[in-house]
Each structure stands twice: as C-alpha cells, then as structure tokens.
Amino acid sequence: QSCLGRQQLLAAIRQMQQLLKGQETRFSEGLRAMRSRLSTIHASLAKAAPEPPAASCPALQAPADGRKFGTKYLVDHEVHFACDPGFQLLGSSTRMCQANGSWTGQEPRCAEISECSSSPCQNGGTCLEGLNHFKCLCPPPWTGTTCQYQAQTAPPAWSVTDDPAFSRQPRCAQVAQTQQCSCDPGFHMSGTAPDGICQDLNECEVYQREGGPRLCAHACVNIPGSFRCSCPAGYVLLGDGKSCEDIDECSLSQDNCTSGSACINTGGGFQCVTPQCPPADGHISYVKTSPFQCERNPCPMESRSCHQAPKTISFHYLPLPSKLQTPAPLFRMATAAAPGRPGPDSLRFGIAGGNNRGHFVVQRSDRHTGELLLVQSLQGPRTVHVDVDMAEYLDRVFQAKHLSKITLFVSAYEF
C-alpha cells in the first residue's frame, strides 16, 4: 500500500513538472513576443518623432549692387536688404530664420533703374544713360540739366556795367616814360590802358564756371570787389560767413501753434502737430497717457484681436536735411521689463506701414534694441511717414506689441 502511494506521488510530481515546463515555455514565448512588439513600437515612434529644431540658418550674402543689414543667422533673427542708388530691389527685403533651418521669402537681387525711362529731357533733348545719373543733349537754343532753359545769345556777363559801383577808373602811374595802370582787388581791366576801365569780377560766377571750391552753403551774392553769402528764410549765417544754421522757432517762441498742439522745429521752419489715438474699434480702444503716447485699454479675455493690437502707440517727429548720406540711423526701439516681472526673451522688429517704405530697414542692434535705418536718401522738401512695430515673445509665445509712428520732415536744403 505504501509502495502504491509512493508511485502516485511520483506521478503527481512528474505531472506538475510538465505543467511548469509548459507554462515556462509559454511565458518565454510571450516575453519574446512582447519584446518584439515593443521594439516595433519604438522604431515607429522614432520615425514619427520630429527632428530637433535647427539652431541657425545658412549664411546670406548681400546682392550685387546692394547691401545686407544683420549678421546673426539664429532662429527668429531677421536679415534686411537694400539696393544702391540707381537700383531697385526685386525679391524679399526682409528674411527671417525659421526653426527648420531655412529662410523665409525669396532671394533678393538689385535691378538697375533706367534713368531715361521717365523721359526727363524737355524741348527735344536726347537722354544719355550714365552710372546712377543721366545727361541731356540739348538742341539750340535750349540748355540746363533737362533742357528746361532757353540759352542766352550773348555770353554771360562777368561784371555788372549798369551800376556805377561795379565800374571804377584804374589807378595809373607814369613809370619810365610808360603809363602803368592797375585795378583794385576784385576788379579786372576791361579795354587797354589808359582808356580801359576796371570792372567788377563776379566771383560767384567765376568759381561756379571754373569748378572751383563752393563759396557758400546756399547762395552767393556778388558785391563790388567781392562777394557775400546768404541763407534761405528760417536760417542764419554763421561766423564763417558761408555756412547756414537753422533757427529753432519753437525754443524761441516764434511759432503760432495753438495750446492744443505741439511745436516741432524743422529745417527752415516749424510744424504744429496734434497726435491723436486711433478711434475705438470693437473691443480695441486707446487712451492718451501723454502728448505723444496712447495706451490700449484692458482687453476682454476672449478677444484675440484686441490682444494682438498694439499695447502702446507712440508718436515721433524728426527733422532731416535733404539728401542725407546713407545708411543713417534714425530711431531706436527698446524693451524694459517691469520690476518683479520677467521681461521678454525674444523681440521681433518690422516696418508696419507708411509711405516710401523702401527707403528704410529695421535691424537688431542688440538683444533688446531695434534700429530704424535710412538706406535710400530722401530729397526734400517732403514729409515721410513710417511705422515701426516691436513684438515681445516669452518662450516663443506672443506677449505684446508696441507701435512707433514716425514722421520725418525733410528740408529743402542739405544743411
């Protein structure tokens, strides 16, 4: 009986061993299948995962006959382009480095502007194309840069003969049986001694005709024996006798601006300005916090258009001389964080509107400052408007935008 019980026990143990072995085999197969599935999932996830963003973009070159503004090629940085005088920009004037390592926009190029395309020569003149300029060949009797003047038949007068102050008798002396005659400085002998007469030398015309040094910054006035310089209205002649300086009518209280407007001094005059906040539009409205600044009223939480509108609008007025040499920095925008609050970690600057936008670019001068540059010269007199905006970002999330409305009063003169 004991022998029978031992056999049953051994049989039960063998059955248990076989059961455990089968379970171990199934567990190993399940583990292998699980590992294979995990490996497949990991591979598919690796394929679907986006590549890490590029840190920078390829370097950009200035176009032929043009210039490039901006030397940083990091993500979110902008590079601006402008053409030399006599050329026009084709393509993108501003390109921004994107997170995928490529630039926005199209490659810029500079195409030559045909100076003769506008038919500048009048009265039958023939236009000849030159480098950044043109020349008119004028038929008789026309003259001038665009054949606009009728030429005089007589040679130009080197002296004024109808005013006795411009004609004098020569000083004569008998020297060794011959008579020697001379004229005062600023006069020249007309005719032969002793019948000659001393006539005034028109220095203004002589220097202009012979390409000599420029005698006056503005106008040269011939006087007997000499010359003097004069300045246009609104300017005063400086101590050197040739240069002109603008009169600041605003600081001298020589303006006629009303109490509700501000006086802005300009070259040769002044302007009375009254900056106005834009009218309310839906949820967007502004309040004037200073004579030259407006601030946006609080926005409803759900109004995206209100939050995207400029938080501040400032007004700036700049006098400029005509034909200012370029590139010339005109204006700077910067950001400042409020005490106890983190400031933006990224800024974007751009030209938001105005007339003659092609004359300007905005470039980053440092991490928190943007600069408006004049890259094509402006000839006055004229008034030019340009709007510059600055957008603030924190962790790539838009925070606020600030708008600067700039008005340039370009003088008629180069001083």
Side-chain angles (χ1 to χ4, degrees), residues 246 263-271 273 292 314-322 324 328-333 360 371-374 378 381-388 404-412:
D246 174 56
C263 179
I264 304 296
N265 183 60
T266 63
F270 63 91
Q271 292 282 341
V273 300
F292 297 99
S314 56
F315 301 87
H316 309 268
Y317 302 91
L318 307 176
L320 281 188
S322 184
L324 181 65
L330 300 179
F331 180 77
R332 282 188 172 183
M333 291 185 76
F360 308 94
E371 194 171 45
L372 178 69
L373 292 179
L374 178 69
L378 292 167
R382 66 199 299 188
T383 300
V384 177
H385 304 279
V386 58
D387 297 342
V388 181
S404 295
K405 300 181 75 65
I406 304 164
T407 302
L408 305 174
F409 297 114
V410 186
S411 164

Side-chain angles (χ1 to χ4, degrees), residues 5 21 33 37 61 79 110 138 160 188 199 209 214 221 258 262 294 300 303 306 312 341 348 356 358 380:
K21 189 174 182 180
R37 185 162 185 176
Q61 302 299 322
V79 174
C110 295
C138 305
V160 180
H188 70 101
Q199 291 188 329
R209 169 189 284 265
R214 189 173 182 179
V221 180
T258 61
C294 301
S303 177
C306 183
T312 64
R341 296 184 62 184
R348 292 181 187 174
N356 300 94

Side-chain angles (χ1 to χ4, degrees), residues 276-288 294-298 305-306 309 313:
Q276 297 290 338
C277 299
D281 182 12
H283 296 300
I284 307 170
S285 62
Y286 290 86
V287 60
K288 206 168 188 181
C294 301
E295 291 191 14
R296 191 188 66 212
N297 286 314
S305 61
C306 183
I313 301 176

Side-chain angles (χ1 to χ4, degrees), residues 111-363:
E112 187 173 5
I113 300 172
S114 174
E115 299 288 345
C116 290
S117 61
S118 60
S119 304
C121 302
Q122 306 172 31
N123 299 308
T126 303
C127 185
L128 298 179
E129 199 85 53
L131 182 61
N132 298 335
H133 72 282
F134 66 91
K135 183 177 182 181
C136 292
L137 294 180
C138 305
W142 300 97
T143 185
T145 56
T146 59
C147 307
Q148 72 274 39
Y149 301 123
Q150 196 161 2
Q152 301 289 333
T153 54
W158 279 50
S159 60
V160 180
T161 56
D162 56 351
D163 188 335
F166 290 88
S167 299
R168 298 180 182 178
Q169 293 296 325
R171 295 194 304 268
C172 298
Q174 196 77 19
V175 178
Q177 299 181 350
T178 61
Q179 193 174 38
Q180 303 283 344
C181 296
S182 64
C183 296
D184 293 334
F187 289 81
H188 70 101
M189 182 73 72
S190 177
T192 57
D195 299 324
I197 190 169
C198 293
Q199 291 188 329
D200 172 64
L201 185 70
N202 189 335
E203 294 85 358
C204 302
E205 191 170 334
V206 170
Y207 274 85
Q208 184 178 6
R209 169 189 284 265
E210 297 180 357
R214 189 173 182 179
L215 297 180
C216 302
H218 180 57
C220 179
V221 180
N222 185 50
I223 59 176
S226 185
F227 70 95
R228 65 177 178 84
C229 297
S230 69
C231 295
Y235 293 85
V236 63
L237 191 67
L238 291 180
D240 63 1
K242 61 179 291 185
S243 304
C244 299
E245 183 178 61
D246 174 56
I247 298 172
D248 190 343
E249 293 85 356
C250 298
S251 64
L252 297 174
S253 299
Q254 296 180 359
D255 62 276
N256 57 0
C257 298
T258 61
S259 58
S261 60
C263 179
I264 304 296
N265 183 60
T266 63
F270 63 91
Q271 292 282 341
C272 301
V273 300
T274 312
Q276 297 290 338
C277 299
D281 182 12
H283 296 300
I284 307 170
S285 62
Y286 290 86
V287 60
K288 206 168 188 181
T289 55
S290 75
F292 297 99
Q293 180 155 312
C294 301
E295 291 191 14
R296 191 188 66 212
N297 286 314
C299 293
M301 290 294 293
E302 70 280 0
S303 177
R304 177 178 174 84
S305 61
C306 183
H307 287 284
Q308 292 287 336
K311 187 177 181 180
T312 64
I313 301 176
S314 56
F315 301 87
H316 309 268
Y317 302 91
L318 307 176
L320 281 188
S322 184
K323 300 179 182 178
L324 181 65
Q325 188 173 358
T326 59
L330 300 179
F331 180 77
R332 282 188 172 183
M333 291 185 76
T335 185
R341 296 184 62 184
D345 56 17
S346 177
L347 298 174
R348 292 181 187 174
F349 299 92
I351 296 177
N355 54 357
N356 300 94
R357 292 172 62 175
H359 288 77
F360 308 94
V361 299
V362 178
Q363 71 173 14

